[in-house]
Amino acid sequence: MKAYLKLATALVAINGLSTVAFAQGQPAADRPAAAEDGSGLSDIIVTARRREEALQSVPVAITVLDGAALAARQITNVSALQTVAPSLTLSGAAGRRQTPAIGIRGQLTSDTLISADPAVAVYVDEVIMTPNQGINMGLYDLGNVQVLKGPQGTLFGRNTTGGAVLFSPNQPKDVLEGEVKAHIGNYDERGGTAMVNLPITDTLAVRIAGNYLRHDGYARIVAGPQTGRQLESENNHAIRFIAKWSPTDNFTNSFTFDYAKGRSGGTAAVLTALNPASSIRFYNGGAPFNLGNISAALARQQARSVREVEADAPIFERTKSQLVINKSTLNIGEMQLKNIFGYRKVDYALGYDGDDSTISIFAVNNPARVKQYSDELQLSGSALDGRTSWITGLYYFRQTGRDLSFSTSYIGLNANSPNFSGGDVKNTSYSVYAQQTTEIVPSLSLTTGVRYSRDKRNATVIAFTSPQAPQPNLCSNVNSAGVRLPITDCFVNLKKTFSKPTWTVSLDYKPAPGTLLYVASRRGYRTGGFNLRANNPVAQLPFKPETVTDFEGGAKLSNRWLGFPMRINAATYLQKYKQIQRVITFINPQSGGATSSIVNAASATIWGFELETTLIPTKGVEFNFGYSYVDPKYDRFQAAAGDLSDRAFSRIPKSQFNASVDLTMIDNDDTGKVVLTGAYNYRSGYHLSDLFQNGQQVRTQAGLSGPLVASIPNTLAGEYIKGVGLFDARLSWSDIGGSKVSVAGYVKNLTNKTYANSGLSLYESLGLIYNTYGDPRTYGLEVSIRY
């Protein structure tokens, strides 16, 4: 009930804001004529409803940045989007820099198994990218990026309980143009982008763009077999080819090929805490096992920089991806028929050492390969003299792949380590959908939509000890009696089909030019599946689909407020989140190492609000502000450890804030344009663990016993990631002296703040916590030439 009262209060506040804006937004007779959206600000075109519309006319909460805004705010990879998009969170999942875990409005999936779909879908030119491996290697030559918030029940309805991020590459045009951009920076950073647009004939145009980036590591290994090796370095390159053919006025076909390859030095895992009641205590440098001293390793780490770590296992991340898109559009009178075909192949490999020592306690090598095919057939049009617009479609998706893990856990104690686990997947999805928007009366429109999805999940699970283990070549999969399967019959085949309807309904009202008020409700669905790390019949049961039903109210205002062009977008929402898929970590009795399982453990209510504002107080000055607040609370969270309903959502900061100012100091044809941009972004802190967030919880619920349990401290160092605020700046001089040459200088993390940005808590299982850290201060110089 309290959550509904919060939603109602926020809706009243938004309504009051819109009333004031409407009253003050009436232009005086001597003011300049307003732009089309009523504010004097240029329109922003989005495709959130699978057609081109002005941002301010769409009853959906969206953050959008065009190519110029991405450059001004130095958004060069997917992870940087969280600095400008309220409610969007990204963090490296378990040591991965090129594979971010993406969350929106409290919906986040931290596990990267290809058998579990993310809560937030990523699309490139209308084709879904799943899994997330490799999507963080660089952004270049984009028309815009759109962040759609909340469950997308109909048009982007496949597994989008949190929202969707849409990347729209620039398309070929019928003019000859090009650009070359290069930059250098500290940490020996070198990079650049290049683009050429070629009109081949009157009906055929081609656009080719490429991107390159390399820099030295931000961290290094100071002890172990790889002493001196740099970590967190990057060496990435990519190329995109797009051909657009329009043989008639009614038909267009576009073909896209995108190739990207990245090699990262891997992530430095900084040890922060040890559990004195877990088996890790036997690594004490003496009796009874005479193993290495992990407490001494922790002490050494606490005495040195977080940019220096120890390691006994390889640390790296490598990704190679290929993407093919073919889109055909045929206009038939008032209707349009479109087909969107997509193919993606990803080869991925990760190595990380999670104990920050030269002792073999916890390390993983994770190779994966996945292929996906998708095809979507759309038919759209209008009716009732343009008062109704509609779209319907069929969707097919197929994914095959292999995801393996070679892990070492508790070497010297665990006779079953090293070991292999993982398996093969074959996932198929079918959907049918329809959505319409009708203007019921002038200025009042109703949108309704429905989608039905059917997902077939197939998995083959394998787990066995390696030939190097003290107990080699043993199957780790067991039967219902707990007896190991024979190594010759160690494969377990699993399959399950899931289906759900999802829907969208919204009502929007435009009481005056530049004002949109709306209410909406949507249902999102994320399919179930199998845990590739499971090794017993209970854990190998499928986890069920999760669903989110939201209620949202918002206002979009574009007016002159006190004579200033201003755009204000505000939204508040309430989500009912059921059958939540949570990752539970524990010690596997067969492998002896830390493992995890995905279970439907919880239900929750999430309330929040968002505000985004653009203001131009005078010519040449533009302010942008964004704020979000999310308050997720479990209604129920029942796990093997007991009732965990009092836990905070992990990896979800409650507050996010960003602000920027663009100051145009010079703007004329003879000199060019000089712009100074300053930006600040802040996010509050969050917990790493879903299960145990302080020592008291571990002592009472972790299932540990004995006098050592009392020695567990109340504060688990590193389990809580503290909030952080960062400053960036950029000074650009474009079209120097009337030429087509531009230069810019930039700095990120201006104050060189050292801050943890992610990590992993295995305190209750393996007995340790580690953190990863954000990038240090970086700066550089950029030069570009257009022609």
Side-chain angles (χ1 to χ4, degrees), residues 108-137:
L108 181 143
T109 306
S110 58
D111 206 313
T112 59
L113 282 175
I114 64 174
S115 59
D117 288 350
V120 177
V122 174
Y123 288 80
V124 173
D125 203 8
E126 300 188 86
V127 172
I128 194 169
M129 304 286 105
T130 183
N132 283 348
Q133 273 84 347
I135 66 171
N136 200 39
M137 287 193 293

mmCIF file of all heavy atoms in Angstrom, residues 108-137:
data_model
loop_
_atom_site.group_PDB
_atom_site.id
_atom_site.type_symbol
_atom_site.label_atom_id
_atom_site.label_comp_id
_atom_site.label_asym_id
_atom_site.label_seq_id
_atom_site.Cartn_x
_atom_site.Cartn_y
_atom_site.Cartn_z
ATOM 1 N N LEU A 108 18.247 -6.312 -13.125
ATOM 2 C CA LEU A 108 19.634 -6.557 -13.547
ATOM 3 C C LEU A 108 19.951 -8.031 -13.420
ATOM 4 O O LEU A 108 19.514 -8.691 -12.467
ATOM 5 C CB LEU A 108 20.605 -5.724 -12.695
ATOM 6 C CG LEU A 108 22.088 -5.853 -13.014
ATOM 7 C CD1 LEU A 108 22.778 -4.508 -12.846
ATOM 8 C CD2 LEU A 108 22.761 -6.876 -12.097
ATOM 9 N N THR A 109 20.716 -8.538 -14.384
ATOM 10 C CA THR A 109 21.188 -9.922 -14.344
ATOM 11 C C THR A 109 22.702 -9.904 -14.293
ATOM 12 O O THR A 109 23.355 -9.424 -15.214
ATOM 13 C CB THR A 109 20.731 -10.692 -15.595
ATOM 14 O OG1 THR A 109 19.322 -10.565 -15.731
ATOM 15 C CG2 THR A 109 21.091 -12.154 -15.477
ATOM 16 N N SER A 110 23.265 -10.396 -13.193
ATOM 17 C CA SER A 110 24.719 -10.366 -13.042
ATOM 18 C C SER A 110 25.391 -11.589 -13.645
ATOM 19 O O SER A 110 26.590 -11.575 -13.909
ATOM 20 C CB SER A 110 25.099 -10.242 -11.565
ATOM 21 O OG SER A 110 24.565 -11.321 -10.822
ATOM 22 N N ASP A 111 24.646 -12.680 -13.854
ATOM 23 C CA ASP A 111 25.234 -13.892 -14.411
ATOM 24 C C ASP A 111 25.335 -13.761 -15.928
ATOM 25 O O ASP A 111 24.437 -13.232 -16.585
ATOM 26 C CB ASP A 111 24.384 -15.107 -14.054
ATOM 27 C CG ASP A 111 25.197 -16.394 -14.039
ATOM 28 O OD1 ASP A 111 25.953 -16.616 -14.998
ATOM 29 O OD2 ASP A 111 25.074 -17.154 -13.071
ATOM 30 N N THR A 112 26.434 -14.245 -16.496
ATOM 31 C CA THR A 112 26.663 -14.126 -17.934
ATOM 32 C C THR A 112 26.523 -15.451 -18.673
ATOM 33 O O THR A 112 26.902 -15.549 -19.842
ATOM 34 C CB THR A 112 28.071 -13.558 -18.201
ATOM 35 O OG1 THR A 112 29.043 -14.432 -17.615
ATOM 36 C CG2 THR A 112 28.220 -12.172 -17.609
ATOM 37 N N LEU A 113 25.985 -16.479 -18.045
ATOM 38 C CA LEU A 113 25.774 -17.748 -18.733
ATOM 39 C C LEU A 113 24.896 -17.543 -19.971
ATOM 40 O O LEU A 113 23.901 -16.819 -19.931
ATOM 41 C CB LEU A 113 25.089 -18.751 -17.805
ATOM 42 C CG LEU A 113 25.947 -19.453 -16.748
ATOM 43 C CD1 LEU A 113 25.066 -20.297 -15.860
ATOM 44 C CD2 LEU A 113 27.024 -20.304 -17.398
ATOM 45 N N ILE A 114 25.233 -18.228 -21.054
ATOM 46 C CA ILE A 114 24.433 -18.067 -22.270
ATOM 47 C C ILE A 114 23.090 -18.772 -22.158
ATOM 48 O O ILE A 114 22.217 -18.583 -23.006
ATOM 49 C CB ILE A 114 25.197 -18.572 -23.510
ATOM 50 C CG1 ILE A 114 25.467 -20.080 -23.417
ATOM 51 C CG2 ILE A 114 26.488 -17.811 -23.695
ATOM 52 C CD1 ILE A 114 26.095 -20.657 -24.674
ATOM 53 N N SER A 115 22.896 -19.540 -21.087
ATOM 54 C CA SER A 115 21.605 -20.188 -20.879
ATOM 55 C C SER A 115 20.632 -19.309 -20.100
ATOM 56 O O SER A 115 19.482 -19.690 -19.888
ATOM 57 C CB SER A 115 21.802 -21.505 -20.122
ATOM 58 O OG SER A 115 22.417 -21.273 -18.861
ATOM 59 N N ALA A 116 21.081 -18.127 -19.654
ATOM 60 C CA ALA A 116 20.226 -17.194 -18.916
ATOM 61 C C ALA A 116 20.231 -15.848 -19.635
ATOM 62 O O ALA A 116 21.288 -15.241 -19.804
ATOM 63 C CB ALA A 116 20.723 -17.038 -17.483
ATOM 64 N N ASP A 117 19.077 -15.388 -20.065
ATOM 65 C CA ASP A 117 18.988 -14.142 -20.825
ATOM 66 C C ASP A 117 19.057 -12.929 -19.907
ATOM 67 O O ASP A 117 18.585 -12.978 -18.763
ATOM 68 C CB ASP A 117 17.691 -14.099 -21.626
ATOM 69 C CG ASP A 117 17.716 -15.062 -22.804
ATOM 70 O OD1 ASP A 117 18.788 -15.609 -23.087
ATOM 71 O OD2 ASP A 117 16.664 -15.256 -23.432
ATOM 72 N N PRO A 118 19.625 -11.824 -20.385
ATOM 73 C CA PRO A 118 19.682 -10.602 -19.575
ATOM 74 C C PRO A 118 18.305 -9.956 -19.446
ATOM 75 O O PRO A 118 17.408 -10.189 -20.261
ATOM 76 C CB PRO A 118 20.647 -9.705 -20.364
ATOM 77 C CG PRO A 118 20.549 -10.192 -21.778
ATOM 78 C CD PRO A 118 20.309 -11.669 -21.683
ATOM 79 N N ALA A 119 18.150 -9.118 -18.403
ATOM 80 C CA ALA A 119 16.888 -8.418 -18.174
ATOM 81 C C ALA A 119 16.734 -7.210 -19.075
ATOM 82 O O ALA A 119 15.616 -6.740 -19.309
ATOM 83 C CB ALA A 119 16.793 -7.988 -16.708
ATOM 84 N N VAL A 120 17.846 -6.687 -19.575
ATOM 85 C CA VAL A 120 17.835 -5.528 -20.469
ATOM 86 C C VAL A 120 18.378 -5.962 -21.821
ATOM 87 O O VAL A 120 19.496 -6.478 -21.917
ATOM 88 C CB VAL A 120 18.684 -4.374 -19.899
ATOM 89 C CG1 VAL A 120 18.732 -3.212 -20.882
ATOM 90 C CG2 VAL A 120 18.119 -3.914 -18.554
ATOM 91 N N ALA A 121 17.587 -5.782 -22.857
ATOM 92 C CA ALA A 121 17.984 -6.210 -24.194
ATOM 93 C C ALA A 121 18.762 -5.104 -24.899
ATOM 94 O O ALA A 121 18.448 -3.920 -24.755
ATOM 95 C CB ALA A 121 16.759 -6.587 -25.010
ATOM 96 N N VAL A 122 19.770 -5.496 -25.658
ATOM 97 C CA VAL A 122 20.559 -4.571 -26.459
ATOM 98 C C VAL A 122 20.268 -4.861 -27.932
ATOM 99 O O VAL A 122 20.350 -6.010 -28.376
ATOM 100 C CB VAL A 122 22.061 -4.722 -26.166
ATOM 101 C CG1 VAL A 122 22.889 -3.857 -27.105
ATOM 102 C CG2 VAL A 122 22.358 -4.364 -24.711
ATOM 103 N N TYR A 123 19.930 -3.795 -28.682
ATOM 104 C CA TYR A 123 19.627 -3.923 -30.105
ATOM 105 C C TYR A 123 20.576 -3.052 -30.916
ATOM 106 O O TYR A 123 20.879 -1.916 -30.533
ATOM 107 C CB TYR A 123 18.192 -3.469 -30.406
ATOM 108 C CG TYR A 123 17.113 -4.408 -29.927
ATOM 109 C CD1 TYR A 123 16.698 -4.423 -28.605
ATOM 110 C CD2 TYR A 123 16.490 -5.287 -30.821
ATOM 111 C CE1 TYR A 123 15.710 -5.283 -28.169
ATOM 112 C CE2 TYR A 123 15.492 -6.152 -30.383
ATOM 113 C CZ TYR A 123 15.109 -6.145 -29.061
ATOM 114 O OH TYR A 123 14.123 -7.005 -28.635
ATOM 115 N N VAL A 124 21.046 -3.570 -32.027
ATOM 116 C CA VAL A 124 21.789 -2.796 -33.009
ATOM 117 C C VAL A 124 20.987 -2.807 -34.301
ATOM 118 O O VAL A 124 20.761 -3.881 -34.883
ATOM 119 C CB VAL A 124 23.198 -3.371 -33.242
ATOM 120 C CG1 VAL A 124 23.880 -2.645 -34.402
ATOM 121 C CG2 VAL A 124 24.039 -3.260 -31.984
ATOM 122 N N ASP A 125 20.512 -1.641 -34.696
ATOM 123 C CA ASP A 125 19.721 -1.500 -35.922
ATOM 124 C C ASP A 125 18.567 -2.511 -35.952
ATOM 125 O O ASP A 125 18.353 -3.199 -36.947
ATOM 126 C CB ASP A 125 20.617 -1.647 -37.153
ATOM 127 C CG ASP A 125 20.019 -0.971 -38.381
ATOM 128 O OD1 ASP A 125 18.997 -0.265 -38.251
ATOM 129 O OD2 ASP A 125 20.576 -1.162 -39.481
ATOM 130 N N GLU A 126 17.862 -2.628 -34.815
ATOM 131 C CA GLU A 126 16.658 -3.430 -34.650
ATOM 132 C C GLU A 126 16.920 -4.934 -34.498
ATOM 133 O O GLU A 126 15.979 -5.715 -34.464
ATOM 134 C CB GLU A 126 15.655 -3.195 -35.785
ATOM 135 C CG GLU A 126 15.177 -1.759 -35.914
ATOM 136 C CD GLU A 126 14.051 -1.616 -36.905
ATOM 137 O OE1 GLU A 126 12.881 -1.792 -36.539
ATOM 138 O OE2 GLU A 126 14.365 -1.328 -38.088
ATOM 139 N N VAL A 127 18.182 -5.344 -34.373
ATOM 140 C CA VAL A 127 18.515 -6.754 -34.175
ATOM 141 C C VAL A 127 19.068 -6.935 -32.767
ATOM 142 O O VAL A 127 19.998 -6.230 -32.351
ATOM 143 C CB VAL A 127 19.536 -7.245 -35.217
ATOM 144 C CG1 VAL A 127 20.011 -8.661 -34.885
ATOM 145 C CG2 VAL A 127 18.920 -7.213 -36.611
ATOM 146 N N ILE A 128 18.515 -7.889 -32.030
ATOM 147 C CA ILE A 128 18.906 -8.111 -30.640
ATOM 148 C C ILE A 128 20.302 -8.718 -30.568
ATOM 149 O O ILE A 128 20.701 -9.523 -31.412
ATOM 150 C CB ILE A 128 17.873 -9.015 -29.923
ATOM 151 C CG1 ILE A 128 18.078 -8.966 -28.406
ATOM 152 C CG2 ILE A 128 17.952 -10.451 -30.435
ATOM 153 C CD1 ILE A 128 16.961 -9.615 -27.625
ATOM 154 N N MET A 129 21.069 -8.285 -29.548
ATOM 155 C CA MET A 129 22.402 -8.805 -29.280
ATOM 156 C C MET A 129 22.337 -9.607 -27.978
ATOM 157 O O MET A 129 22.164 -9.026 -26.891
ATOM 158 C CB MET A 129 23.408 -7.672 -29.098
ATOM 159 C CG MET A 129 23.515 -6.685 -30.234
ATOM 160 S SD MET A 129 24.373 -7.344 -31.673
ATOM 161 C CE MET A 129 22.959 -7.623 -32.747
ATOM 162 N N THR A 130 22.418 -10.900 -28.072
ATOM 163 C CA THR A 130 22.437 -11.704 -26.860
ATOM 164 C C THR A 130 23.290 -12.946 -27.121
ATOM 165 O O THR A 130 23.199 -13.534 -28.208
ATOM 166 C CB THR A 130 20.996 -12.106 -26.430
ATOM 167 O OG1 THR A 130 21.051 -12.820 -25.202
ATOM 168 C CG2 THR A 130 20.297 -12.947 -27.465
ATOM 169 N N PRO A 131 24.187 -13.289 -26.181
ATOM 170 C CA PRO A 131 24.402 -12.687 -24.871
ATOM 171 C C PRO A 131 25.169 -11.367 -24.971
ATOM 172 O O PRO A 131 25.453 -10.888 -26.069
ATOM 173 C CB PRO A 131 25.216 -13.749 -24.141
ATOM 174 C CG PRO A 131 26.008 -14.394 -25.235
ATOM 175 C CD PRO A 131 25.091 -14.422 -26.432
ATOM 176 N N ASN A 132 25.542 -10.804 -23.790
ATOM 177 C CA ASN A 132 26.189 -9.490 -23.747
ATOM 178 C C ASN A 132 27.686 -9.540 -24.030
ATOM 179 O O ASN A 132 28.322 -8.483 -24.084
ATOM 180 C CB ASN A 132 25.976 -8.853 -22.371
ATOM 181 C CG ASN A 132 24.573 -8.288 -22.207
ATOM 182 O OD1 ASN A 132 23.832 -8.180 -23.175
ATOM 183 N ND2 ASN A 132 24.211 -7.943 -20.987
ATOM 184 N N GLN A 133 28.249 -10.704 -24.195
ATOM 185 C CA GLN A 133 29.689 -10.800 -24.426
ATOM 186 C C GLN A 133 30.105 -9.925 -25.616
ATOM 187 O O GLN A 133 29.556 -10.030 -26.714
ATOM 188 C CB GLN A 133 30.106 -12.246 -24.688
ATOM 189 C CG GLN A 133 30.403 -13.037 -23.446
ATOM 190 C CD GLN A 133 29.167 -13.631 -22.805
ATOM 191 O OE1 GLN A 133 28.061 -13.258 -23.143
ATOM 192 N NE2 GLN A 133 29.339 -14.562 -21.889
ATOM 193 N N GLY A 134 31.079 -9.031 -25.365
ATOM 194 C CA GLY A 134 31.667 -8.253 -26.443
ATOM 195 C C GLY A 134 30.971 -6.962 -26.788
ATOM 196 O O GLY A 134 31.450 -6.237 -27.666
ATOM 197 N N ILE A 135 29.874 -6.597 -26.118
ATOM 198 C CA ILE A 135 29.154 -5.394 -26.544
ATOM 199 C C ILE A 135 29.799 -4.114 -26.023
ATOM 200 O O ILE A 135 29.371 -3.014 -26.401
ATOM 201 C CB ILE A 135 27.682 -5.428 -26.113
ATOM 202 C CG1 ILE A 135 27.561 -5.373 -24.586
ATOM 203 C CG2 ILE A 135 26.982 -6.648 -26.665
ATOM 204 C CD1 ILE A 135 26.141 -5.193 -24.124
ATOM 205 N N ASN A 136 30.837 -4.208 -25.187
ATOM 206 C CA ASN A 136 31.416 -3.011 -24.569
ATOM 207 C C ASN A 136 32.719 -2.579 -25.229
ATOM 208 O O ASN A 136 33.507 -1.860 -24.631
ATOM 209 C CB ASN A 136 31.663 -3.257 -23.073
ATOM 210 C CG ASN A 136 31.790 -1.968 -22.296
ATOM 211 O OD1 ASN A 136 31.074 -1.007 -22.562
ATOM 212 N ND2 ASN A 136 32.699 -1.931 -21.334
ATOM 213 N N MET A 137 32.958 -2.986 -26.477
ATOM 214 C CA MET A 137 34.263 -2.733 -27.076
ATOM 215 C C MET A 137 34.361 -1.375 -27.767
ATOM 216 O O MET A 137 35.433 -0.980 -28.175
ATOM 217 C CB MET A 137 34.605 -3.847 -28.064
ATOM 218 C CG MET A 137 34.974 -5.140 -27.381
ATOM 219 S SD MET A 137 35.717 -6.336 -28.493
ATOM 220 C CE MET A 137 34.350 -6.717 -29.577
#
